[in-house]
Amino acid sequence: MKSQETITNTTGHRQLSEFAPLFAHLNDDILFGEVWNDPSLDVKTRGLLTVCALTSQGITDSSLAHHIQNAKKQGVTADEMSGAITHTAMYAGWPKAWAAFRLAKEVYSSSLQTKEEYQASIAYEIGEENVKFAPYFEGKSYSAPAADGINHITFEPGCKNHWHIHQADQGGGQVLVCTGGRGWYQQWGQKPVLMEAGSVIRIPANVKHWHGADDNHWFSHLSINLPGKNASTTWLEAVE
């Protein structure tokens, strides 16, 4: 019999260990530790049940999208997901189901490219695995030199770098030029900004931010660090 994949989560401890340690423990160690790994239900069934539970409550934000993606990863087919949401609609209501279907359709309609397929679709080289900065990324990234002081960075689907700050006493900052795929940039306290081929983001110095790939797409950008006095980069916590 195939062994069940172990589910782990450290979001609570990363985000709330000091402010709400009990909640962090319940979230990471109990919910995603003991409950999700209880052998009485396989993770595929548990993932589908979670989607139905969130839909029935009208929770159709990024948390539902995450659990739909997780259910897909655990082997829930598009037909199974469609049937489950339709069944939930009979008890929870039509508007909630419509909102869930919009998210599910986006997750299941995406076709993830292989690394080779994605490389063929962009002009710049993907390069080698970005081992040096791996501790500051959730997921796998790649780096290739593009010109003096300019690197081409590629993120696998779902890969994001941690919150970070390009510090400088004067000048500094960074410019991102998207060369392919679909990704996001977010400045602390603001909504994420979609990045697609041709998008340009000017990141001021001393601003907390992150950037990375959409869950269902590769993403690449040129990374141009602007000259500044006493310039440095401070890496912070992972994106929730």
Side-chain angles (χ1 to χ4, degrees):
M1 180 177 178
K2 183 180 179 181
S3 61
Q4 175 171 297
E5 177 184 348
T6 300
I7 301 298
T8 59
N9 188 298
T10 60
T11 303
H13 288 302
R14 291 200 314 266
Q15 300 294 326
L16 295 171
S17 60
E18 295 184 4
F19 186 77
L22 177 59
F23 183 87
H25 164 66
L26 293 172
N27 183 81
D28 295 358
D29 305 324
I30 304 302
L31 173 58
F32 287 102
E34 296 182 16
V35 175
W36 268 88
N37 293 296
D38 181 349
S40 62
L41 286 176
D42 59 52
V43 290
K44 175 182 176 181
T45 302
R46 205 175 295 278
L48 198 57
L49 286 172
T50 302
V51 170
C52 293
L54 293 175
T55 300
S56 68
Q57 295 181 69
I59 300 174
T60 54
D61 57 10
S62 59
S63 62
L64 178 58
H66 167 78
H67 281 288
I68 292 174
Q69 182 68 46
N70 181 62
K72 179 183 177 183
K73 176 184 175 183
Q74 301 302 336
V76 175
T77 67
D79 285 344
E80 289 172 331
M81 182 61 69
S82 176
I85 296 175
T86 299
H87 184 80
T88 303
M90 301 300 166
Y91 296 89
W94 232 241
K96 295 175 182 177
W98 266 110
F101 271 125
R102 282 194 289 270
L103 294 175
K105 183 178 179 181
E106 181 176 346
V107 170
Y108 279 89
S109 63
S110 65
S111 178
L112 299 183
Q113 294 175 298
T114 66
K115 180 181 176 183
E116 292 71 25
E117 289 172 337
Y118 179 66
Q119 176 64 87
S121 72
I122 61 175
Y124 289 86
E125 290 295 324
I126 289 178
E128 302 298 325
E129 187 174 342
N130 197 8
V131 177
K132 180 179 178 180
F133 290 93
Y136 311 118
F137 283 71
E138 298 298 314
K140 187 178 292 186
S141 68
Y142 302 85
S143 178
D148 289 342
I150 302 176
N151 289 316
H152 186 244
I153 309 298
T154 295
F155 302 72
E156 287 192 348
C159 174
K160 300 172 178 63
N161 56 29
H162 293 189
W163 290 100
H164 58 286
I165 302 172
H166 300 297
Q167 296 173 318
D169 294 338
Q170 184 178 349
Q174 188 179 62
V175 173
L176 306 179
V177 181
C178 180
T179 59
R182 177 186 172 97
W184 298 92
Y185 164 80
Q186 185 178 17
Q187 184 173 316
W188 185 258
Q190 298 185 10
K191 293 182 178 181
V193 176
L194 176 65
M195 293 187 69
E196 295 179 301
S199 298
V200 178
I201 297 289
R202 169 68 166 87
I203 306 170
N206 307 312
V207 169
K208 184 177 179 179
H209 66 282
W210 67 269
H211 34 103
D214 180 81
D215 286 344
N216 300 306
H217 299 82
W218 288 76
F219 172 59
S220 299
H221 64 62
L222 294 172
S223 176
I224 307 168
N225 292 320
L226 302 177
K229 183 179 180 180
N230 297 324
S232 64
T233 299
T234 299
W235 291 96
L236 304 166
E237 71 274 17
V239 178
E240 184 177 356

